[in-house]
Amino acid sequence: MKVAPSPRVPDRDAPFAPAAFERLRAHPDFRSVEEAHARTSLDFYGALPLLGRWLISDLGRSALTGAALVLDSLPGGLTAAGLMHSASINRACSRGRVLGYLERCEMNGLIVPLAGAPRSPTARLMLTPRFLDRMIHMVALNLASVAQLAPEIAPAIPRLEEPDFRRGLFARLGIMTASRPDLFAGPSRPVDLFLQRDGGVRLLDWMILAQRPGRARLLEACAFSRTALSRAGFVSRTHVTRLLADGEAWGLLQVGARHIEFAPALSDDVERHHALVFEALRAAAEAALDD
């Protein structure tokens, strides 16, 4: 006899419901997963060639790279017009930056026009293996982090090698994130100090890993050097100095000669951001596996 599946609890299973975020952040391994994810991200970013780092070095290009993966998975495919629309809806970047992104991707063999199609904003564009292989590897690493908190989505990781499954996962990720502009394209938050800067996420990852064990918050205080930070983010010391100065001006950091203290509001928002990213991946993987 076939056993009927257990009924879903609406609040528990709804993507991005408050209960979903609470479950992730209440998981006893959430902090250690954040730290391990920071190490994995630093190692992945450091091993990328220059062009690969360029694709994800700040929020604008990361958003465009993610949108390209999503649009490529939808029936209409990736087009310049579609990418500009996505950037406008998500407030990721300007139309000019979208065109510059596409131009550089095409010049470097990451995105190419569909063979034989006339050039136009609505013409189909194709992601090449040079683009896809790096980004699929990154998504697999991110899903591995999420699977430590939600083991049920672990089967999605090897299935990223299946084009149909991969397209289904990316399509769901796009649809789900587009359904919550309040979460993904809302007002500026403290974590944007890092997200909006070239190499900023890697600087944040380095700072997370530099925290002392047994602390009460994700970010409390750490010793630092501008040289170490600049190497981690593949940016200049001047770039690091400007980011830290802005963090002080916004009341998010206090910077000494060799020591940084972090405001509780920044630490909490970084955890909120990680929970948001993890929940988006968890929900998309769960939906793709259920299909």
Side-chain angles (χ1 to χ4, degrees), residues 98-121:
V98 175
L99 294 174
Y101 172 89
L102 288 173
E103 180 180 10
R104 183 163 180 181
C105 283
E106 188 170 343
M107 286 175 58
N108 287 278
L110 297 170
I111 295 176
V112 297
L114 181 65
R119 300 301 294 265
S120 78

Side-chain angles (χ1 to χ4, degrees), residues 3-146:
V3 179
S6 300
R8 291 181 179 271
V9 180
D11 188 52
R12 179 185 184 278
D13 294 310
F16 313 126
F21 294 119
E22 290 168 9
R23 274 197 313 280
L24 285 174
R25 295 185 70 172
H27 193 290
D29 295 331
F30 183 71
R31 175 74 56 78
S32 62
V33 168
E34 285 184 288
E35 293 171 347
H37 183 70
R39 169 52 61 197
T40 298
S41 297
L42 274 178
D43 291 344
F44 173 77
Y45 192 78
L48 285 173
L50 178 62
L51 191 61
R53 294 198 298 269
W54 177 82
L55 283 171
I56 57 171
S57 64
D58 67 17
L59 183 60
R61 283 193 292 270
S62 291
L64 291 176
T65 296
L69 288 168
V70 168
L71 291 170
D72 184 65
S73 303
L74 296 174
L78 171 63
T79 67
L83 197 58
M84 285 187 281
H85 179 70
S86 173
S88 174
I89 294 297
N90 295 328
R91 292 184 280 181
C93 58
S94 67
R95 179 180 184 275
R97 195 174 190 203
V98 175
L99 294 174
Y101 172 89
L102 288 173
E103 180 180 10
R104 183 163 180 181
C105 283
E106 188 170 343
M107 286 175 58
N108 287 278
L110 297 170
I111 295 176
V112 297
L114 181 65
R119 300 301 294 265
S120 78
T122 57
R124 182 77 181 259
L125 301 171
M126 309 299 294
L127 304 179
T128 69
R130 193 177 186 192
F131 182 108
L132 281 170
D133 291 348
R134 292 167 182 159
M135 294 305 105
I136 291 169
H137 185 201
M138 183 182 73
V139 173
L141 292 174
N142 291 341
L143 283 174
S145 293
V146 178

